[in-house]
Amino acid sequence: MTVAIGVDIGGTKIAAGLVSESGELLKRESEPTPEDSTKIPSIVADLAERLAGDEKVVGIGIGAAGFTSTDRTTVRFAPNIDWVDEPLAEQISSLIDLPVVVENDANAAAWAEHECGAGRATSEMLFIALGTGLGAGLILRNTLYRGHEGFAGEAGHLTVVIDGRAC
């Protein structure tokens, strides 16, 4: 069976799952997010190795809180983790020798929901992610809409209380 590994790097935990081609979650593992962000790639590689076992893994998809590069290799800025222009795909790939794609966590969740969840029957949807922060992913015409520089749908820095505290 061909499988992939999905990883969610959040402000409090790193969650990973082994996923079938149909989107079925086969196994899961997690570790707390360390305060030292330089340890994250090795934690992700370790989680991936534990999940993979003897399965044929085709790659790793990373959902990271923050802004990601348009080529989906780098975290340009993460509000909850000390990252600025962090080459995350390269760091993880060098440890585990698998292709790695990095996407904003809310965008990744929106695409998963569109392909395998409640959004399957629609070509347009807005996904709201509530966790350590607030994020959103936007699907338009069956395509993940990233917008200019990949920041479309990013709702986490909006003032929601009139005259409230600015971001």
Side-chain angles (χ1 to χ4, degrees), residues 2-61:
T2 302
V3 295
I5 294 173
V7 180
D8 176 26
I9 301 174
T12 58
K13 73 176 177 183
I14 301 170
L18 187 69
V19 183
S20 72
E21 288 181 77
S22 65
E24 178 186 1
L25 180 62
L26 304 170
K27 291 196 284 189
R28 71 174 83 192
E29 295 272 348
S30 69
E31 294 286 339
T33 303
E35 287 188 32
D36 179 357
S37 63
T38 63
K39 295 179 179 179
I40 292 175
S42 62
I43 291 171
V44 170
D46 180 61
L47 287 168
E49 286 176 353
R50 289 177 1 213
L51 287 167
D54 294 330
E55 300 289 346
K56 179 177 174 17
V57 177
V58 296
I60 300 173

Side-chain angles (χ1 to χ4, degrees), residues 50-127:
R50 289 177 1 213
L51 287 167
D54 294 330
E55 300 289 346
K56 179 177 174 17
V57 177
V58 296
I60 300 173
I62 306 287
F67 302 123
T68 56
S69 62
T70 54
D71 67 0
R72 300 178 356 183
T73 62
T74 303
V75 178
R76 294 182 59 194
F77 170 74
N80 300 322
I81 298 172
D82 184 28
W83 281 340
V84 175
D85 293 325
E86 193 73 22
L88 194 58
E90 178 184 318
Q91 292 170 345
I92 295 168
S93 186
S94 72
L95 295 171
I96 195 156
D97 196 30
L98 284 170
V100 177
V101 173
V102 178
E103 181 60 79
N104 169 272
D105 58 350
N107 282 348
W111 187 250
E113 200 63 37
H114 178 264
E115 291 297 298
C116 303
R120 286 188 312 259
T122 184
S123 62
E124 321 281 325
M125 64 175 264
L126 172 66
F127 178 89

